[in-house]
Amino acid sequence: MAHKNKTNLSPMKSRQGKSHKKPVGIYSENEANDRLADIFRNHGFTDLTHAQRTKLAQFYVFLMSNQEKENFTRLLTLKDIAIKHYIDCLIVAKQTQLQFPLLDLGTGPGFPGIPLKILFPNERIILAEGVQRRVEFLKSARENLGLTGLDIIGRNINPYFAYPVRGVITRAVEDIGNTLANVLTCLQTGGCVYFMKGPNVDPEIKSASDKLAPYYKLEKDIAYDLPNTTHHRRLVIYRKIVQSPLPDFDEEPWPEDN
């Protein structure tokens, strides 16, 4: 996850500091696949292929099996994972055209990056995560799911990070202004940052626009609901409009990627 200031205007709750809860039971991949089909159908999300749904079922089993040992998510039922993780991540591609290579900043256990990789198997996605146990989980998930073109970077993202990308997406709680500042070097001019936020994000937008107007413009602010739920979302998109000055790279070594 990227470096944070003490001020965090995000209305969404942090994933940090949660007690470790374990799943009561874990469906097999075949049963999970069938149940995912029903859940997706009931929520108007029917355009996934059988192969994509199979990968999502496989990821559910892998995530829940690891949740037995480590705390990776507060969502422990297949229905919650299907709606609040999978649909929540995949619906972004229905709202806008994503740009690749795409950096998932503060991905945690792989959201939204892994579902998006399953949706876009031929596109390059980079998962950035600063917590080492999550990094090891992501490497194992990549191998378990057989995902190619999925890079994993085990470090915090800050202005010294210069790995060039055309898009950045984040569901992390860091406020918009901090994230825009941290990806200023790696995001190419003309590229976009996609913020998956809750409905009460207006203070973040105002603060970010005031501070970073020379480099970014607010491209879109899309309000929507997860289909057939009461879960309200905002997709806030900023476009980088001018090249930013480069930091002094002698102050920080080039990051390793995996």
Side-chain angles (χ1 to χ4, degrees), residues 176 193-198 201 205 218-222 234-238:
I176 287 175
V193 188
Y194 310 92
F195 293 93
M196 300 169 63
K197 291 288 185 177
V201 72
I205 294 175
L218 179 60
E219 183 89 352
K220 293 181 181 178
D221 179 4
I222 305 168
R234 295 265 290 276
L235 180 64
V236 181
I237 306 173
Y238 279 84

PDB file of all heavy atoms in Angstrom, residues 176 193-198 201 205 218-222 234-238:
ATOM      1  N   ILE A 176      -7.471  10.260  -1.942  1.00  0.00           N
ATOM      2  CA  ILE A 176      -7.182  10.465  -3.355  1.00  0.00           C
ATOM      3  C   ILE A 176      -5.933  11.307  -3.562  1.00  0.00           C
ATOM      4  O   ILE A 176      -5.087  10.985  -4.408  1.00  0.00           O
ATOM      5  CB  ILE A 176      -8.409  11.101  -4.042  1.00  0.00           C
ATOM      6  CG1 ILE A 176      -9.519  10.068  -4.186  1.00  0.00           C
ATOM      7  CG2 ILE A 176      -8.033  11.683  -5.399  1.00  0.00           C
ATOM      8  CD1 ILE A 176     -10.822  10.623  -4.737  1.00  0.00           C
ATOM      9  N   VAL A 193      -5.988   7.317 -13.317  1.00  0.00           N
ATOM     10  CA  VAL A 193      -6.052   6.686 -12.003  1.00  0.00           C
ATOM     11  C   VAL A 193      -7.525   6.467 -11.678  1.00  0.00           C
ATOM     12  O   VAL A 193      -8.327   7.404 -11.730  1.00  0.00           O
ATOM     13  CB  VAL A 193      -5.387   7.547 -10.915  1.00  0.00           C
ATOM     14  CG1 VAL A 193      -5.295   6.764  -9.605  1.00  0.00           C
ATOM     15  CG2 VAL A 193      -4.011   8.015 -11.353  1.00  0.00           C
ATOM     16  N   TYR A 194      -7.864   5.217 -11.341  1.00  0.00           N
ATOM     17  CA  TYR A 194      -9.245   4.820 -11.086  1.00  0.00           C
ATOM     18  C   TYR A 194      -9.413   4.549  -9.592  1.00  0.00           C
ATOM     19  O   TYR A 194      -8.806   3.625  -9.051  1.00  0.00           O
ATOM     20  CB  TYR A 194      -9.599   3.560 -11.871  1.00  0.00           C
ATOM     21  CG  TYR A 194      -9.241   3.632 -13.332  1.00  0.00           C
ATOM     22  CD1 TYR A 194      -8.002   3.160 -13.779  1.00  0.00           C
ATOM     23  CD2 TYR A 194     -10.113   4.162 -14.271  1.00  0.00           C
ATOM     24  CE1 TYR A 194      -7.652   3.219 -15.116  1.00  0.00           C
ATOM     25  CE2 TYR A 194      -9.774   4.228 -15.613  1.00  0.00           C
ATOM     26  CZ  TYR A 194      -8.540   3.753 -16.027  1.00  0.00           C
ATOM     27  OH  TYR A 194      -8.190   3.807 -17.357  1.00  0.00           O
ATOM     28  N   PHE A 195     -10.233   5.351  -8.941  1.00  0.00           N
ATOM     29  CA  PHE A 195     -10.457   5.208  -7.506  1.00  0.00           C
ATOM     30  C   PHE A 195     -11.815   4.557  -7.264  1.00  0.00           C
ATOM     31  O   PHE A 195     -12.854   5.095  -7.655  1.00  0.00           O
ATOM     32  CB  PHE A 195     -10.427   6.576  -6.814  1.00  0.00           C
ATOM     33  CG  PHE A 195      -9.080   7.234  -6.817  1.00  0.00           C
ATOM     34  CD1 PHE A 195      -8.726   8.125  -7.825  1.00  0.00           C
ATOM     35  CD2 PHE A 195      -8.159   6.975  -5.813  1.00  0.00           C
ATOM     36  CE1 PHE A 195      -7.493   8.742  -7.831  1.00  0.00           C
ATOM     37  CE2 PHE A 195      -6.911   7.583  -5.808  1.00  0.00           C
ATOM     38  CZ  PHE A 195      -6.580   8.465  -6.821  1.00  0.00           C
ATOM     39  N   MET A 196     -11.814   3.400  -6.624  1.00  0.00           N
ATOM     40  CA  MET A 196     -13.039   2.702  -6.245  1.00  0.00           C
ATOM     41  C   MET A 196     -13.400   3.158  -4.829  1.00  0.00           C
ATOM     42  O   MET A 196     -12.770   2.752  -3.854  1.00  0.00           O
ATOM     43  CB  MET A 196     -12.817   1.200  -6.312  1.00  0.00           C
ATOM     44  CG  MET A 196     -12.425   0.702  -7.697  1.00  0.00           C
ATOM     45  SD  MET A 196     -11.857  -1.032  -7.692  1.00  0.00           S
ATOM     46  CE  MET A 196     -13.355  -1.866  -7.137  1.00  0.00           C
ATOM     47  N   LYS A 197     -14.412   4.008  -4.748  1.00  0.00           N
ATOM     48  CA  LYS A 197     -14.716   4.673  -3.488  1.00  0.00           C
ATOM     49  C   LYS A 197     -16.160   4.463  -3.065  1.00  0.00           C
ATOM     50  O   LYS A 197     -17.005   3.984  -3.833  1.00  0.00           O
ATOM     51  CB  LYS A 197     -14.443   6.176  -3.625  1.00  0.00           C
ATOM     52  CG  LYS A 197     -12.958   6.535  -3.750  1.00  0.00           C
ATOM     53  CD  LYS A 197     -12.234   6.349  -2.431  1.00  0.00           C
ATOM     54  CE  LYS A 197     -10.785   6.808  -2.488  1.00  0.00           C
ATOM     55  NZ  LYS A 197     -10.116   6.677  -1.172  1.00  0.00           N
ATOM     56  N   GLY A 198     -16.440   4.867  -1.825  1.00  0.00           N
ATOM     57  CA  GLY A 198     -17.796   4.910  -1.333  1.00  0.00           C
ATOM     58  C   GLY A 198     -18.477   6.200  -1.762  1.00  0.00           C
ATOM     59  O   GLY A 198     -17.883   7.051  -2.427  1.00  0.00           O
ATOM     60  N   VAL A 201     -17.322  10.708  -0.993  1.00  0.00           N
ATOM     61  CA  VAL A 201     -15.933  10.963  -1.353  1.00  0.00           C
ATOM     62  C   VAL A 201     -15.678  12.415  -1.755  1.00  0.00           C
ATOM     63  O   VAL A 201     -14.546  12.789  -2.056  1.00  0.00           O
ATOM     64  CB  VAL A 201     -15.518  10.001  -2.492  1.00  0.00           C
ATOM     65  CG1 VAL A 201     -16.185  10.391  -3.812  1.00  0.00           C
ATOM     66  CG2 VAL A 201     -14.014   9.914  -2.635  1.00  0.00           C
ATOM     67  N   ILE A 205     -12.175  14.548  -3.193  1.00  0.00           N
ATOM     68  CA  ILE A 205     -12.079  15.083  -4.546  1.00  0.00           C
ATOM     69  C   ILE A 205     -11.693  16.558  -4.503  1.00  0.00           C
ATOM     70  O   ILE A 205     -10.812  16.997  -5.251  1.00  0.00           O
ATOM     71  CB  ILE A 205     -13.419  14.884  -5.293  1.00  0.00           C
ATOM     72  CG1 ILE A 205     -13.685  13.397  -5.518  1.00  0.00           C
ATOM     73  CG2 ILE A 205     -13.410  15.638  -6.623  1.00  0.00           C
ATOM     74  CD1 ILE A 205     -15.040  13.093  -6.131  1.00  0.00           C
ATOM     75  N   LEU A 218      -9.892  15.991 -13.265  1.00  0.00           N
ATOM     76  CA  LEU A 218     -10.944  15.036 -12.932  1.00  0.00           C
ATOM     77  C   LEU A 218     -11.657  14.649 -14.215  1.00  0.00           C
ATOM     78  O   LEU A 218     -12.336  15.469 -14.836  1.00  0.00           O
ATOM     79  CB  LEU A 218     -11.919  15.654 -11.926  1.00  0.00           C
ATOM     80  CG  LEU A 218     -13.099  14.778 -11.491  1.00  0.00           C
ATOM     81  CD1 LEU A 218     -12.612  13.505 -10.821  1.00  0.00           C
ATOM     82  CD2 LEU A 218     -14.029  15.564 -10.560  1.00  0.00           C
ATOM     83  N   GLU A 219     -11.495  13.401 -14.621  1.00  0.00           N
ATOM     84  CA  GLU A 219     -12.038  12.926 -15.890  1.00  0.00           C
ATOM     85  C   GLU A 219     -13.497  12.513 -15.763  1.00  0.00           C
ATOM     86  O   GLU A 219     -14.341  12.896 -16.564  1.00  0.00           O
ATOM     87  CB  GLU A 219     -11.201  11.746 -16.390  1.00  0.00           C
ATOM     88  CG  GLU A 219     -11.594  11.200 -17.734  1.00  0.00           C
ATOM     89  CD  GLU A 219     -10.883  11.903 -18.878  1.00  0.00           C
ATOM     90  OE1 GLU A 219     -10.195  12.914 -18.638  1.00  0.00           O
ATOM     91  OE2 GLU A 219     -11.034  11.437 -20.004  1.00  0.00           O
ATOM     92  N   LYS A 220     -13.798  11.690 -14.742  1.00  0.00           N
ATOM     93  CA  LYS A 220     -15.157  11.201 -14.541  1.00  0.00           C
ATOM     94  C   LYS A 220     -15.407  10.997 -13.050  1.00  0.00           C
ATOM     95  O   LYS A 220     -14.491  10.691 -12.283  1.00  0.00           O
ATOM     96  CB  LYS A 220     -15.386   9.870 -15.268  1.00  0.00           C
ATOM     97  CG  LYS A 220     -15.360   9.944 -16.781  1.00  0.00           C
ATOM     98  CD  LYS A 220     -15.616   8.560 -17.384  1.00  0.00           C
ATOM     99  CE  LYS A 220     -15.566   8.581 -18.900  1.00  0.00           C
ATOM    100  NZ  LYS A 220     -15.777   7.226 -19.474  1.00  0.00           N
ATOM    101  N   ASP A 221     -16.664  11.147 -12.675  1.00  0.00           N
ATOM    102  CA  ASP A 221     -17.117  10.832 -11.319  1.00  0.00           C
ATOM    103  C   ASP A 221     -18.445  10.104 -11.488  1.00  0.00           C
ATOM    104  O   ASP A 221     -19.472  10.725 -11.738  1.00  0.00           O
ATOM    105  CB  ASP A 221     -17.260  12.117 -10.507  1.00  0.00           C
ATOM    106  CG  ASP A 221     -17.747  11.858  -9.090  1.00  0.00           C
ATOM    107  OD1 ASP A 221     -17.899  10.678  -8.710  1.00  0.00           O
ATOM    108  OD2 ASP A 221     -17.988  12.840  -8.360  1.00  0.00           O
ATOM    109  N   ILE A 222     -18.408   8.778 -11.371  1.00  0.00           N
ATOM    110  CA  ILE A 222     -19.555   7.938 -11.717  1.00  0.00           C
ATOM    111  C   ILE A 222     -20.140   7.330 -10.443  1.00  0.00           C
ATOM    112  O   ILE A 222     -19.452   6.599  -9.718  1.00  0.00           O
ATOM    113  CB  ILE A 222     -19.137   6.807 -12.684  1.00  0.00           C
ATOM    114  CG1 ILE A 222     -18.449   7.398 -13.930  1.00  0.00           C
ATOM    115  CG2 ILE A 222     -20.337   5.964 -13.079  1.00  0.00           C
ATOM    116  CD1 ILE A 222     -17.759   6.346 -14.793  1.00  0.00           C
ATOM    117  N   ARG A 234     -18.808   4.933  -5.849  1.00  0.00           N
ATOM    118  CA  ARG A 234     -18.375   6.014  -6.736  1.00  0.00           C
ATOM    119  C   ARG A 234     -17.067   5.573  -7.393  1.00  0.00           C
ATOM    120  O   ARG A 234     -16.143   5.098  -6.715  1.00  0.00           O
ATOM    121  CB  ARG A 234     -18.127   7.308  -5.966  1.00  0.00           C
ATOM    122  CG  ARG A 234     -19.348   7.920  -5.316  1.00  0.00           C
ATOM    123  CD  ARG A 234     -20.009   8.983  -6.145  1.00  0.00           C
ATOM    124  NE  ARG A 234     -19.233  10.211  -6.252  1.00  0.00           N
ATOM    125  CZ  ARG A 234     -19.248  11.186  -5.337  1.00  0.00           C
ATOM    126  NH1 ARG A 234     -19.947  11.052  -4.207  1.00  0.00           N
ATOM    127  NH2 ARG A 234     -18.547  12.294  -5.532  1.00  0.00           N
ATOM    128  N   LEU A 235     -16.996   5.725  -8.709  1.00  0.00           N
ATOM    129  CA  LEU A 235     -15.757   5.507  -9.441  1.00  0.00           C
ATOM    130  C   LEU A 235     -15.255   6.877  -9.862  1.00  0.00           C
ATOM    131  O   LEU A 235     -15.867   7.542 -10.695  1.00  0.00           O
ATOM    132  CB  LEU A 235     -15.982   4.617 -10.655  1.00  0.00           C
ATOM    133  CG  LEU A 235     -14.735   4.318 -11.505  1.00  0.00           C
ATOM    134  CD1 LEU A 235     -13.716   3.522 -10.702  1.00  0.00           C
ATOM    135  CD2 LEU A 235     -15.113   3.573 -12.773  1.00  0.00           C
ATOM    136  N   VAL A 236     -14.151   7.293  -9.265  1.00  0.00           N
ATOM    137  CA  VAL A 236     -13.583   8.619  -9.516  1.00  0.00           C
ATOM    138  C   VAL A 236     -12.327   8.433 -10.346  1.00  0.00           C
ATOM    139  O   VAL A 236     -11.414   7.701  -9.958  1.00  0.00           O
ATOM    140  CB  VAL A 236     -13.258   9.345  -8.190  1.00  0.00           C
ATOM    141  CG1 VAL A 236     -12.688  10.734  -8.461  1.00  0.00           C
ATOM    142  CG2 VAL A 236     -14.515   9.442  -7.319  1.00  0.00           C
ATOM    143  N   ILE A 237     -12.273   9.088 -11.500  1.00  0.00           N
ATOM    144  CA  ILE A 237     -11.184   8.886 -12.456  1.00  0.00           C
ATOM    145  C   ILE A 237     -10.461  10.203 -12.702  1.00  0.00           C
ATOM    146  O   ILE A 237     -11.086  11.202 -13.082  1.00  0.00           O
ATOM    147  CB  ILE A 237     -11.709   8.322 -13.792  1.00  0.00           C
ATOM    148  CG1 ILE A 237     -12.517   7.049 -13.553  1.00  0.00           C
ATOM    149  CG2 ILE A 237     -10.553   8.067 -14.757  1.00  0.00           C
ATOM    150  CD1 ILE A 237     -13.218   6.536 -14.806  1.00  0.00           C
ATOM    151  N   TYR A 238      -9.164  10.174 -12.487  1.00  0.00           N
ATOM    152  CA  TYR A 238      -8.309  11.321 -12.795  1.00  0.00           C
ATOM    153  C   TYR A 238      -7.394  10.961 -13.955  1.00  0.00           C
ATOM    154  O   TYR A 238      -6.884   9.841 -14.034  1.00  0.00           O
ATOM    155  CB  TYR A 238      -7.451  11.708 -11.584  1.00  0.00           C
ATOM    156  CG  TYR A 238      -8.178  12.547 -10.555  1.00  0.00           C
ATOM    157  CD1 TYR A 238      -8.961  11.941  -9.585  1.00  0.00           C
ATOM    158  CD2 TYR A 238      -8.072  13.932 -10.563  1.00  0.00           C
ATOM    159  CE1 TYR A 238      -9.630  12.705  -8.634  1.00  0.00           C
ATOM    160  CE2 TYR A 238      -8.732  14.698  -9.618  1.00  0.00           C
ATOM    161  CZ  TYR A 238      -9.510  14.090  -8.664  1.00  0.00           C
ATOM    162  OH  TYR A 238     -10.168  14.842  -7.725  1.00  0.00           O
TER     163      TYR A 238
END
